[in-house]
C-alpha cells in the first residue's frame, strides 16, 4: 500500500517567490492497483509523481510504501531515489542513446549493490525483453528503435528491477493515436498480470478511464476528486471534473424540492426536471445540471414519458458525422444541448426532434462548488 | 548552413537589378581574396630561398628539407605535440570538472561562479603569461621568493620556464573556454537520462561515469580538438616561456625564423605549412565529431527541466574548489599585475615595499611617446575592422542563407577558411603576400587592417548567419512587394532587423581586435604599433612595471567592453559564440 499524506512541493519561481506545484495532496494506492493522476497541463501531476520518486524533495508531507516511510518532513526522513527501488518510465522515455537495447535493460541490475552474476542478469533481462516483445532486437542500438519500441524498452527497464512501485509519467503521450490505443491494452495487461502497484500520470481522460482502478483528478496542485473511473465519469463532484472528463451539457437550475436521499426536483430553462444530487441540496439553492451527450436520448417519434424521465420537443440546430456516432445540437427554447446518437438517426437540420432526459443520468451540482 | 533555410529561401529566378550584383560581387570577391591570396603566396614563398639585396629568390625544396628532414624536425614536432596535448588536456579536465559542478550539482553560489569564470577569457594571453612569470619564475617569482624566505633556502619550488610551466599557463588560460563549451554540452543533454539511471538505483559516481561522461563524449571530443588547435596556435606562451630556455614549438620557430637576420621567410613558411596541415586536420576531425554529437543531442523539449544532483556535504568542497580555481585564474594574476604596476621597479610584495607604492608607472606609460599613437591605432583598427567585418559578412550571410545561388556553400567555406590560420601564420602569409604585391600597404596600418578583417571574418559570419536564420524571409518579401528595390530592402529592412546581431558582432570583433597580438607582431612597423604590441615591446625591454600598468588599464577597458557586448547580446537575444 502506497500512502501519500498532505504532500506539498514548491519550486522557486522567477522572482524568488515559491510556485506551489502540489498542495496538500493525499491518497492511498492498495497493493496491485493502478492509480491515475489526471488533470490539465501544469496542474502538478508530474510534480507529484517526481516527489514520490524522490526526484523532487517535497516541502512537507509524508510518503510511505508497505508501512516503510520513504519521505517524511516531520521525521526528517528522505530516502535517496536510487535507494527506493521504484521503477519509473519518463515522459521522454529517457532511453540511453549510447547503449544497446540489452544494455539499457540490464543497467538497473548492473548497478545494484547485490549485483547478480552475469548469467542471472542475462536471464532476467531476456525474460523481461520477451515480455515486451523486444527480445529479437536486444543487440540493436537503442536509438534505432521506433517510438513504440522505445516506450516498451522504457517499461522493460523499469520492470527488470522488480520494483516495489511503478511510476509512469504520460508513457503513451509520444505515440500516435493507433499505437497509443494498442499500448494502452498492453500496459493494462502487464500491470494486471504482474499485479504491480502503479501510479500513472496522464492528461488523457480516455486513457485514465480505460486503465485505472482509481483516478484522482487534479487542478492547480490539488486533488479535487478521487474515485473509480465509473464514479468519476457518472458522478463528477464539480463542474470542473464533469467538464474535464468527457464532454457534458450544463444546464443552470434551481432546486424546487428534495425527494429523499439523492433525488431532487429542479427548475430549469426547459422546465422542471427530476435529477440526482450527490450532496444534500436545499430548496432554492442554485445548481447546475450536468448531462452527458450520450445520455441525451433522441427520437423522431414522441417516446412515452415514464416515471421521472422528462421528454421535451426540440429542433435540430446542427449535426456532425463522426463515424461511430453522430453529434446533434438540439435547440429547446433558448437552450442548446449536445446529443450523441447512433448514426442510423437521420433527422435533417431544422426538423423537429424529441429529447428524453433520464433522472438518474442528470447530475445536479452545487453551483457554488461548481466553480467557473 | 541549414538546408531548410536554403529551401525556404526566396526564388532568385527574377531578373536581378544591378546594385545587387555589385554588392554581392564585391563581398564575394573580398572574401575570396582575403582567404585565398595569402594562402597561395605562403605556399609559393615556402618554395624559394631568401631574397637578398644581391640575389633574387630561387626555387628550392631546401626549406622543406630543413624544416622536415633534420634532427630538429622530430624535436619540434615532439615539443609542439607535447605542449598542445598537455595544455588541451589540462584545460579540458579543469573546464569539464567545473562545468559538471556548475550544471549538475547543487553547489552554492553557482551563478556568481559562472559569471566570474568568464572574466579570464578577456585577459590577453600575453598578460596572463607575464603575470605567471611574476608569480613563478625561478628568480623573481613571488611563490619562489616567499618559500625561499620562509625556509631560508634557495630551493626553486616552481619553474615557469619549462614545458610543465608552459602547459600549466596555457592550459589554465584556455580552461574558461573549455568550461564554457562543456557547459553548453551538458545543457544540451536531457537530464531525464540521468534521472532514469538514478531511479534504477545507480549511485552518483556510477551516473557520472556511465551516463554523463559517455553521453557527453562526442561533444567532449570536439571540445578537446578545439583546445588542441588553440594550443598548437598559441604564440605568447611558447614565446615568453619556451624560447628563453630553448623549448621551441612551431609558432615560436616561425617567429624566430622571421626575426633572425637575415630573416628566413621561406623556412618560416614551410613551418607554417605544417601548422596549416595540423590545423586543417583538427578542423576536419572536429566537424566529424559535431555530426556525432548531433546524434546524441537529446533534449526533447517536452518534460525538459534542468535538475541538479544533491551532493550533500560535498557541495562545500566543490564550492571551495571553484573559489580556489577563480583565485588562480583571475584574482592572483590580476593582483600581481596591479601590485607590479604600483612599484617603481619590480619587487616581490612585502610590508616594506608597501611604503613605496606609486603611480609613476602609469605616468610613465602616458608619457611614453608611442602610447597615444598606439591607443589611437588600436581604436581605429578595431573600429574599422569590426565595421568591415560586420557589414561584409551580413551580405555574405544573406547570400548563403537567403538565395539559391549555385555554389553559395563555397562562400560560406571561404568566409570560414581563415579559422584554420593560426594568427602567426596569417600574419606571415599576409606579410609575404603584400611584400610581393607592391600596392604600398606593407608597413602601414592598412596591412594590419587586412589581417584583422581576414582573421575575424569567420566570427562575423557566425553571428550574422545565426540572426539571418531567425529572420523570417517574408519580412523582406513584403518590402519587395511594396516596391522597394533590392538595395533599398537590404538597407531599410534587412540591416535594421539584423541590428542586434550586428551590434553584438561589432563589439565582439572590437574586443578581439584590441587583444590581437600574434598576427600584428609580424606586420607592425614603427608608427603602426598597437596597444598589444606596446605590451610586447615593454616585455622585450624588461619594463615590467610599465607593462603591468598598461596591462591593468587594458584589462579594465576590455572588461567594460565585454559587459557592453553581453548586454547587447542579451538585450537582443543573440547568442554570443564566446570570447
Ligand atoms: N523546475 C520547475 N521550476 C519552476 N516551476 C516549475 C518547475 N517544474 C514545474 N513547475 C511549475 O509547477 C507547476 C506544475 O508542473 P507539472 O510539471 O507538475 O505539471 P503537469 O501536471 O505534469 O503538466 P503537463 O501535463 O504539462 O506535464 C506548473 O505550473 C509548472 O510551471
Ligand atoms: Mg508532466
Amino acid at each position: 500500500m502506497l500512502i501519500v499524506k498532505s504532500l506539498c512541493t514548491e519550486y522557486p519561481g522567477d522572482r524568488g517567490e515559491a510556485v506551489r506545484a502540489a498542495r496538500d495532496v493525499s491518497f492511498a494506492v492498495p497493493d496491485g492497483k493502478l492509480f491515475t493522476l489526471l488533470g490539465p497541463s501544469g496542474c502538478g501531476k508530474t510534480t507529484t509523481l517526481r516527489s514520490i520518486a524522490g526526484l523532487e524533495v517535497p516541502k512537507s508531507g509524508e510518503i510511505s510504501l508497505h508501512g516503510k516511510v520513504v519521505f517524511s518532513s516531520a521525521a526528517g526522513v528522505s530516502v535517496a531515489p536510487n535507494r527506493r527501488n521504484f521503477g519509473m518510465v519518463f515522459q521522454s522515455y529517457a532511453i540511453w542513446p549510447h547503449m544497446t537495447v540489452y544494455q539499457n535493460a540490464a543497467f538497473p541490475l548492473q548497478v545494484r549493490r547485490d549485483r547478480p552474476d552475469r548469467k542471472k542478469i542475462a536471464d532476467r533481462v531476456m525474460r523481461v525483453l520477451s515480455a515486451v516483445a523486444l527480445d529479437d532486437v536486444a543487440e540493436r542500438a537503442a536509438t534505432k528503435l521506433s517510438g513504440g519500441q522505445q516506450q516498451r524498452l522504457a517499461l522493460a527497464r523499469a520492470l527488470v528491477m522488480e520494483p516495489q512501485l511503478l511510476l509512469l509519467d504520460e508513457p503513451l503521450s509520444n505515440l500516435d493515436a493507433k499505437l497509443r490505443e494498442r499500448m494502452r491494452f498492453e500496459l493494462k495487461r502487464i500491470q494486471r498480470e504482474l499485479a504491480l502497484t502503479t501510479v500513472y500520470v496522464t492528461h488523457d481522460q480516455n486513457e485514465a478511464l480505460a486503465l485505472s482502478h482509481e483516478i484522482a483528478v487534479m487542478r492547480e496542485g490539488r486533488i479535487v476528486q478521487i474515485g473509480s473511473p465509473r464514479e468519476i465519469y457518472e458522478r463528477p463532484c464539480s463542474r470542473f471534473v464533469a467538464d474535464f472528463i468527457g464532454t457534458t451539457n450544463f444546464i443552470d437550475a434551481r432546486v424546487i424540492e428534495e425527494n429523499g436521499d439523492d433525488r431532487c426536483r429542479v427548475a430549469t430553462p426547459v422546465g422542471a426536471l427530476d435529477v440526482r444530487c450527490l450532496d444534500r441540496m436545499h430548496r432554492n439553492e442554485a445548481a447546475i445540471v450536468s448531462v452527458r451527450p450520450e445520455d441525451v436520448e433522441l427520437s423522431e417519434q414522441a417516446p412515452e414519458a415514464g416515471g421521472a424521465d422528462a421528454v421535451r420537443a426540440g429542433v435540430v440546430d446542427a449535426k456532425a458525422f463522426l463515424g461511430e456516432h453522430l453529434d446533434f445540437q438540439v435547440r429547446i427554447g433558448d437552450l442548446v444541448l449536445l446529443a450523441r446518437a447512433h448514426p442510423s438517426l437521420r433527422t435533417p437540420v431544422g426538423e423537429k426532434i424529441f429529447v428524453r432526459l433520464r433522472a438518474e443520468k442528470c447530475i445536479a451540482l452545487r453551483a457554488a462548488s461548481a466553480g467557473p | 548552413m541549414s538546408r531548410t533555410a536554403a529551401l525556404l529561401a526566396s526564388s532568385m529566378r527574377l531578373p536581378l537589378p544591378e546594385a545587387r550584383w555589385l554588392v554581392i560581387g564585391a563581398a564575394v570577391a573580398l572574401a575570396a581574396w582575403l582567404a585565398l591570396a595569402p594562402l597561395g603566396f605562403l605556399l609559393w614563398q615556402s618554395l624559394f630561398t631568401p631574397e637578398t639585396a644581391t640575389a633574387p629568390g630561387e626555387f628550392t625544396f631546401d626549406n622543406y628539407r630543413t624544416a622536415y628532414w633534420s634532427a630538429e624536425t622530430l624535436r619540434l614536432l615532439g615539443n609542439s605535440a607535447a605542449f598542445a596535448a598537455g595544455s588541451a588536456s589540462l584545460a579540458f579536465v579543469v573546464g569539464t570538472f567545473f562545468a559538471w559542478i556548475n550544471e549538475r550539482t547543487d553547489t552554492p553560489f553557482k551563478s556568481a561562479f559562472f559569471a566570474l569564470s568568464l572574466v579570464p577569457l578577456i585577459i590577453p594571453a600575453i598578460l596572463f603569461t607575464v603575470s605567471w612569470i611574476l608569480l613563478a619564475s625561478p628568480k623573481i617569482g613571488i611563490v619562489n621568493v616567499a618559500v625561499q624566505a620562509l625556509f631560508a633556502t634557495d630551493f626553486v619550488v616552481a619553474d615557469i620556464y619549462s614545458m610543465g610551466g608552459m602547459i600549466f599557463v596555457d592550459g589554465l588560460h584556455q580552461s574558461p573556454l573549455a568550461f564554457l563549451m562543456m557547459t553548453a554540452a551538458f545543457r544540451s543533454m536531457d537530464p531525464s537520462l540521468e534521472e532514469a539511471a538514478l531511479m534504477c538505483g545507480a549511485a552518483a559516481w556510477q551516473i557520472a561515469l556511465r551516463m554523463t561522461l559517455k553521453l557527453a563524449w562526442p561533444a567532449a571530443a570536439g571540445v578537446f580538438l578545439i583546445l588542441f588547435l588553440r594550443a598548437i596556435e598559441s604564440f605568447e606562451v611558447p614565446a615568453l616561456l619556451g624560447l628563453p630556455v630553448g623549448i621551441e614549438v612551431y609558432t615560436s620557430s616561425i617567429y624566430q625564423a622571421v626575426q633572425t637576420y637575415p630573416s628566413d621567410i621561406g623556412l618560416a613558411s614551410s613551418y607554417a605549412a605544417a601548422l596549416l596541415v595540423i590545423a586543417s586536420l583538427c578542423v576536419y576531425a572536429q566537424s566529424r565529431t559535431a555530426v556525432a554529437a548531433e546524434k546524441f543531442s537529446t533534449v526533447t523539449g517536452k518534460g525538459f527541466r534542468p535538475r541538479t544532483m544533491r551532493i550533500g556535504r560535498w557541495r562545500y568542497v566543490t564550492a571551495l574548489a571553484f573559489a580556489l580555481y577563480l583565485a588562480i585564474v583571475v584574482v592572483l594574476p590580476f593582483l600581481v599585475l596591479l601590485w607590479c604596476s604600483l612599484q617603481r621597479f619590480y619587487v616581490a610584495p612585502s610590508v616594506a615595499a608597501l611604503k613605496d607604492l606609486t603611480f609613476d608607472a602609469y605616468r610613465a606609460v602616458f608619457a611614453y611617446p608611442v602610447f597615444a599613437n598606439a591607443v589611437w591605432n588600436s581604436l581605429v583598427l578595431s573600429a574599422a575592422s569590426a565595421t568591415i567585418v560586420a557589414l561584409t559578412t551580413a551580405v555574405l550571410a544573406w547570400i548563403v542563407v537567403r538565395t539559391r545561388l549555385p555554389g553559395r556553400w563555397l562562400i560560406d567555406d571561404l568566409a570560414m577558411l581563415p579559422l584554420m590560420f593560426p594568427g602567426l601564420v596569417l600574419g606571415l602569409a599576409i606579410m609575404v603576400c603584400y611584400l610581393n604585391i607592391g600596392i604600398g600597404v606593407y608597413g602601414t596600418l592598412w596591412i594590419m587592417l587586412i589581417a584583422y578583417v581576414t582573421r575575424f571574418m569567420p566570427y562575423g559570419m557566425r553571428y550574422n548567419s545565426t540572426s539571418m536564420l531567425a529572420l523570417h524571409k517574408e519580412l523582406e518579401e513584403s518590402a519587395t512587394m511594396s516596391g522597394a528595390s533590392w538595395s533599398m530592402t537590404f538597407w531599410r529592412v534587412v540591416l535594421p532587423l539584423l541590428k542586434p546581431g550586428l551590434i553584438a558582432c561589432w563589439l565582439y570583433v572590437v574586443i578581439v581586435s584590441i587583444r590581437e597580438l600574434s598576427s600584428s607582431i609580424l606586420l607592425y612597423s614603427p608608427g603602426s604599433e598597437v596597444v598589444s604590441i606596446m605590451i610586447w615591446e615593454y616585455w622585450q625591454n624588461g619594463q615590467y612595471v610599465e607593462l603591468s600598468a598598461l596591462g591593468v588599464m587594458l584589462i579594465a577597458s576590455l572588461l567594460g567592453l565585454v559587459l557592453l557586448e553581453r548586454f547587447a547580446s542579451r538585450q537582443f537575444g543573440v547568442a554570443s559564440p564566446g570570447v
Side-chain angles (χ1 to χ4, degrees), chain B residues 11 28 39 51 108 139 150 164 194 199 202 234 257 313 338 344 367 421 425 464 484 502 525:
Chain B
S11 150
V28 172
L39 184 63
E51 193 181 79
K139 291 205 195 69
L150 213 59
E194 287 157 273
M199 291 310 293
S234 162
R313 259 166 293 141
L338 191 65
R344 221 173 296 271
F421 288 95
V425 174
N464 277 321
L502 282 173
S525 40

Side-chain angles (χ1 to χ4, degrees), chain A residues 317-349:
Chain A
D317 229 18
K319 56 183 192 174
F321 177 66
L322 297 171
E324 298 131 64
H325 51 79
L326 198 57
D327 275 1
F328 280 81
Q329 282 193 342
V330 178
R331 176 179 300 277
I332 309 167
D334 282 338
L335 186 73
V336 177
L337 284 181
L338 182 70
R340 193 153 287 175
H342 195 267
S344 60
L345 189 69
R346 288 173 176 270
T347 318
V349 174

